[in-house]
Amino acid sequence: MEIKTLIPKYQEYVQQWRRYFHEHPELSNEEFETTKTLAAELDKMGIPYTINEETGTGLVGILKGAKPGKAIALRADIDGLPVEERNTFAFKSKNDGKSHACGHDGHMAILLGAAQMLMEARDQIEGDVYLAFQPAEETGAGAPKFMKFGDWWSKVDAVFGGHVWIDLPAGLVSVEAGERMAASAVFTINVKGKTGHGAQPHQAIDAIVVSSAIVMNLQTLVSRNFSALDSVVLTIGNIHSGSEWNIIPGEAQMGGTVRFFKREQEQEIVDKMRRIIEHTAEAYGATATLDYESRVPPTINDPASSELAERVVIEVLGKEKLSPMRKVMAGEDFAWYGVDKPTCFAFIGIRNPDIDAVYDHHNNRFTMDDTILSAASAVYAQYAVSWLKEHKDDHN
């Protein structure tokens, strides 16, 4: 039996699960009912699993093949976002202020579909397939914590995952090798000047003016400190200062994010940020400090894993469905899995203007063409089967 022949059989199954999860989003580290629902479905399939009892969120199923071999994990993230949904279709979010505005509902449905297909193709599996339903991806810290849960991480030899992506037409799949998603960091800048009367600015050190100068000077960090051939982004996302119209504030706080692809550049970025921030403040007679926190490393596809994924997409969906796509500056905590083990992360096209699936991720109108999700399930399932088969000689 060829796994690709199961795509139409499970199309409605995968689509219905995506819509169920879309109706019932839960935020990061609060995915209690989602975890129970996933566990109940794995029970129906006869797939054993372990729930993270310490947190009550996230679970890992294990599907043992007909023959012994190595182990591969297929990963789906399960958390929603604190976004009030503005769609009007029947399966819109039932939880006020929460929605699956990034596509994790689709990821869970894809992995459930892959599990069904793998159960039917169990005689082809030469090793073990771990089904990793990971919580809290949106925090950037979900994967590192999940890797410490149980012993599943120590047993797997490779990981495959993916993200539905609104920039790709529905049904296309991108699995290129190399840099795919950026490293992500968050920072806070605290500025201290001197409070004064709005009518006597010469007696104050205006934290707003200092902050404005820091924002403008930081714009040269990318344009004049790093090669134009490197992808680096620095964004100030908020500034908080002052409370009255006639008082010059003596303090201000800014928050932002940095994105990049080369891990070795991070310390240089931090050092140059701190130099610009501190010296700019000093020029105005103020002080400023930088608090910098790394969130996720860059997502980089292993070349051999990507080469296999390309063959799988062609085998399962046809060459016309394999599509190149530019790397993106968004971050993804799947990157943590690739620090020590070979990984491949796919982008799955879901854009379809005919059903208004055109809004960006995290938008309150975000939706997807979920008719193509069972095709993605087949890619996941076939990748697992093919990877295990091609690495069976490595098994001790």
Side-chain angles (χ1 to χ4, degrees):
M1 181 202 65
E2 293 185 307
I3 289 176
K4 65 182 179 182
T5 64
L6 299 174
I7 293 173
K9 178 178 179 178
Y10 287 103
Q11 179 178 353
E12 185 177 356
Y13 171 87
V14 177
Q15 186 178 34
Q16 287 180 346
W17 269 117
R18 177 260 160 169
R19 296 185 177 193
Y20 174 85
F21 290 125
H22 193 87
E23 281 189 272
H24 303 90
E26 294 179 295
L27 301 183
S28 300
N29 297 312
E30 299 177 5
E31 309 96 330
F32 307 112
E33 294 304 316
T34 301
T35 298
K36 293 176 183 177
T37 299
L38 290 165
E41 188 62 15
L42 292 184
D43 279 332
K44 292 178 183 177
M45 295 185 213
I47 297 176
Y49 57 85
T50 304
I51 293 177
N52 188 343
E53 298 294 346
E54 182 180 346
T55 63
T57 62
L59 72 160
V60 177
I62 179 169
L63 199 161
K64 291 188 171 293
K67 300 177 183 179
K70 302 195 81 171
I72 186 171
L74 302 178
R75 176 267 201 174
D77 39 14
I78 69 175
D79 51 331
L81 285 163
V83 174
E84 184 72 33
E85 185 167 9
R86 298 302 180 195
N87 287 312
T88 57
F89 41 63
F91 55 92
K92 67 172 293 188
S93 173
K94 292 181 177 179
N95 297 339
D96 292 342
K98 305 173 186 178
S99 66
H100 272 296
C102 195
H104 299 185
D105 50 344
H107 302 165
M108 288 184 279
I110 288 170
L111 190 48
L112 286 178
Q116 291 279 17
M117 295 175 183
L118 286 167
M119 288 296 287
E120 292 206 31
R122 203 165 188 170
D123 60 336
Q124 302 176 36
I125 302 175
E126 302 181 53
D128 300 331
V129 181
Y130 285 79
L131 308 170
F133 292 92
Q134 179 214 303
E137 186 280 328
E138 294 292 350
T139 70
K145 292 180 182 178
F146 196 58
M147 291 158 70
K148 297 176 182 177
F149 147 57
D151 62 356
W152 75 277
W153 178 242
S154 66
K155 293 183 176 180
V156 302
D157 301 293
V159 187
F160 183 85
H163 206 302
V164 294
W165 207 251
I166 201 66
D167 295 330
L168 271 183
L172 299 185
V173 181
S174 164
V175 290
E176 292 104 292
E179 300 171 349
R180 303 309 296 141
M181 301 186 79
S184 173
V186 61
F187 63 84
T188 301
I189 302 169
N190 290 292
V191 176
K192 289 190 176 181
K194 182 180 177 183
T195 304
H197 196 292
Q200 301 186 96
H202 61 288
Q203 295 182 0
I205 299 175
D206 192 334
I208 290 179
V209 171
V210 177
S211 299
S212 300
I214 289 173
V215 171
M216 296 309 296
N217 287 343
L218 280 174
Q219 303 311 302
T220 66
L221 181 85
V222 175
S223 65
R224 291 297 179 268
N225 287 272
F226 292 94
S227 169
L229 300 177
D230 292 336
S231 299
V232 180
V233 166
L234 186 151
T235 294
I236 301 292
N238 61 65
I239 300 179
H240 303 283
S241 184
S243 59
E244 297 294 337
W245 61 276
N246 63 345
I247 299 175
I248 293 173
E251 295 187 357
Q253 186 177 82
M254 294 174 275
T257 185
V258 174
R259 307 297 169 103
F260 55 93
F261 285 96
K262 293 181 170 57
R263 294 171 184 165
E264 63 272 16
Q265 286 184 326
E266 184 165 27
Q267 190 56 53
E268 183 183 3
I269 291 171
V270 175
D271 290 344
K272 290 182 176 179
M273 283 182 66
R274 184 168 283 114
R275 183 193 69 201
I276 291 171
I277 291 164
E278 292 178 354
H279 289 184
T280 300
E282 184 181 6
Y284 286 84
T287 61
T289 58
L290 170 67
D291 294 322
Y292 182 96
E293 178 189 350
S294 295
R295 286 292 176 90
V296 298
T299 302
I300 300 174
N301 280 351
D302 168 63
S305 300
S306 285
E307 188 274 330
L308 172 59
E310 289 182 355
R311 286 190 277 118
V312 166
V313 172
I314 293 171
E315 176 186 349
V316 174
L317 305 180
K319 189 174 182 179
E320 70 280 3
K321 297 298 184 181
L322 184 65
S323 174
M325 194 185 96
R326 289 187 300 178
K327 60 187 180 182
V328 297
M329 299 308 294
E332 162 65 60
D333 84 348
F334 181 88
W336 289 109
Y337 300 119
V339 172
D340 297 316
K341 298 185 180 182
T343 57
C344 183
F345 194 71
F347 290 108
I348 301 148
I350 53 168
R351 184 180 186 85
N352 186 346
D354 292 340
I355 60 168
D356 218 20
V358 296
Y359 295 96
D360 199 9
H361 299 265
H362 294 207
N363 187 286
N364 55 19
R365 295 286 307 280
F366 175 82
T367 189
M368 69 180 76
D369 183 346
D370 52 21
T371 63
I372 58 86
L373 298 183
S374 65
S377 296
V379 171
Y380 276 52
Q382 186 62 60
Y383 184 91
V385 170
S386 297
W387 192 94
L388 291 170
K389 182 178 181 180
E390 295 189 10
H391 290 82
K392 62 182 179 180
D393 293 337
D394 301 335
H395 178 61
N396 294 320

